[in-house]
């Protein structure tokens, strides 16, 4: 039999990428596109930009590989919200981006949701929905809410109103009972919520028009997606409870697979569902942004080579870009601590890297204290993950194996979801 391939697309904050993989996970093709910039009524026309980018990516898939593609999945930015017509799929409102806030809706959301629920933040999908509900006069009975990934997938399969439980978390979906909770279902706007499936579930065949235009096979299926940060986690292929991914970019974010769900609003810790497990996450304000304020990337690489990672550094810092920390210490008034600064830059950097490693260790300890499966193995991603010296320091401080993840792109994680969902018999 001819080997099948699986297509994943990531619609991230700065652009879109695709990865085409085989059953073993080897990448057969990949590519990326920037979002073209269109304006409409003084706002960026994201609808046009995303749609065009989706089809540009399909065009970028090598023609000779397209007939082998068994399934497609897409991830998008979390809490990027669209209100569309439930028949035509045409947007009824400007899409609201992941980081946009709707504080006007917060009092109403807080009055119906349990205290400290994920939806009680101005940028949550539910606040966006309620803000639209309260302000827009257009026909509410014809509307349906979709997340960015749901809408892009809809363009491919044509069945309106389907989401996944990762994207739906911030609108209030409860993945534990696998349903919207009663407090949400009793609201008038509950009628526009999409139905929800597990990420990587086959939805329908790729629509005929697209299939014939681009040369995809007749049985190519489109599967539910996830959010961009979960797709990036999936890319690292951490699959067992106790396996974790630390992302060392501008900030430090950790995600740990656990058999137990953990939530703590004080620390901004919450869990996404991944089939029969939980993906527990938290994000600290420390990370690479502080390093970049002090050193160039070239200096970072050169100085790191001179550090002896087996030697503990006595310098105890708390590197922050500005005042305030949430996790693993909840203290909005915490001040950055980067003193005393030794004359020797090698010692200074050693102190900073070691201090960030201590914060990482404290973060994993806190998750365990809050009830998660203990961490056993750390994969690492982001700009800081290429620093081998830091990896050795972290192994010593964490007392755990730390490995660079082989794949870190969210589109690769989306391709793994396509692979998981490639079962046309389930449609
Ligand atoms: P983001 O996408 O969050 O902006 P990246 O994943 O691109 O960040 O990582 C960028 C960060 O990586 C920068 O803040 C920089 O300080 C850090 N970085 C770059 N090179 C190194 C290095 N050799 N050692 C440690 N950190 C590094």
């Amino acid at each position: 039999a001819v080997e099948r391939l699986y297509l994943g697309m990531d619609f991230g904050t700065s652009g879109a990428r695709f990865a085409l993989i085989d059953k073993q996970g080897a990448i057969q093709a990949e590519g990326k596109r920037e979002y073209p910039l269109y304006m409409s009524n003084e706002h960026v026309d994201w609808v046009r930009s995303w749609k065009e980018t989706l089809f540009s990516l399909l065009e970028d898939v090598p023609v000779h590989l397209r007939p082998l593609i068994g399934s497609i999945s897409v991830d998008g930015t979390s809490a990027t919200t669209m209100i569309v017509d439930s028949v035509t799929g045409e947007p009824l409102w400007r899409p609201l981006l992941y980081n946009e806030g709707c504080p006007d809706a917060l009092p109403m959301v807080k009055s119906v949701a349990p205290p400290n629920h994920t939806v009680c933040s101005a940028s949550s999908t539910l606040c966006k929905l309620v803000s639209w509900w309260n302000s827009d006069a257009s026909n509410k009975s014809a509307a349906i809410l979709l997340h960015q990934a749901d809408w892009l997938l809809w363009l491919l399969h044509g069945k309106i109103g389907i989401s996944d439980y990762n994207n739906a978390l911030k609108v209030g979906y409860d993945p534990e009972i696998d349903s919207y909770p009663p407090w949400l279902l009793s609201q008038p706007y509950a009628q526009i919520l999409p139905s929800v499936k597990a990420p990587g579930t086959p939805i329908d065949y790729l629509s005929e028009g697209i299939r014939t235009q681009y040369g995809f096979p007749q049985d190519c299926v489109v599967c539910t997606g996830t959010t961009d940060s979960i797709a990036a986690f999936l890319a690292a292929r951490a699959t067992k409870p106790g396996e974790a991914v630390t992302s060392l970019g501008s900030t430090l974010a950790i995600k740990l697979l656990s058999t137990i769900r953990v939530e703590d609003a004080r620390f901004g810790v919450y869990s996404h569902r991944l089939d029969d497990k939980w993906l527990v996450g938290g994000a600290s304000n420390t990370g690479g942004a502080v390093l970049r304020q002090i050193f160039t990337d070239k200096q970072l690489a050169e100085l790191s080579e001179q550090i002896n990672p087996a030697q503990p550094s006595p310098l105890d810092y708390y590197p922050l870009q500005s005042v305030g920390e949430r996790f693993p210490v909840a203290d909005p008034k915490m001040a950055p601590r980067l003193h005393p600064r030794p004359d020797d830059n090698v010692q200074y950097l050693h102190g900073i890297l070691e201090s960030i490693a201590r914060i990482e260790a404290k973060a994993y300890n806190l998750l365990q204290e809050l009830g998660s499966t203990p961490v056993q193995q750390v994969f690492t991603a982001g700009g800081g993950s290429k620093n081998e010296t830091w990896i050795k320091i972290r192994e010593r401080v964490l007392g755990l194996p730390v490995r660079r993840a082989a794949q870190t792109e969210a589109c690769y994680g989306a391709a793994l979801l396509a692979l998981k969902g490639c079962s046309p018999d389930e449609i």
Side-chain angles (χ1 to χ4, degrees), residues 287-332:
V290 184
L291 290 173
R292 205 164 250 176
Q293 280 179 336
I294 307 170
F295 301 112
T296 64
D297 285 6
K298 187 160 171 278
Q299 281 179 309
L300 282 177
E302 285 167 6
L303 294 170
S304 295
E305 273 181 31
Q306 299 170 60
I307 295 171
N308 175 5
Q311 178 100 45
S313 166
L315 297 165
D316 183 26
Y317 301 140
Y318 208 109
L320 292 173
Q321 244 189 329
S322 51
V323 169
E325 174 67 311
R326 181 115 184 251
F327 171 80
V329 183
D331 179 3

Side-chain angles (χ1 to χ4, degrees), residues 294-372:
I294 307 170
F295 301 112
T296 64
D297 285 6
K298 187 160 171 278
Q299 281 179 309
L300 282 177
E302 285 167 6
L303 294 170
S304 295
E305 273 181 31
Q306 299 170 60
I307 295 171
N308 175 5
Q311 178 100 45
S313 166
L315 297 165
D316 183 26
Y317 301 140
Y318 208 109
L320 292 173
Q321 244 189 329
S322 51
V323 169
E325 174 67 311
R326 181 115 184 251
F327 171 80
V329 183
D331 179 3
K333 297 205 185 85
M334 184 193 275
R337 190 169 74 240
L338 278 161
H339 286 278
R341 176 171 182 162
D343 295 331
D344 178 11
N345 271 340
V346 177
Q347 278 181 37
Y348 190 40
L349 179 61
H350 190 173
I352 298 173
L353 297 182
E354 182 123 0
S355 297
I356 296 177
R358 281 190 220 109
I359 296 167
E360 182 182 3
K362 191 168 179 165
Y364 283 114
N365 282 335
L366 176 62
L367 293 189
Q368 189 179 341
E369 278 166 31
L370 297 176
S372 81

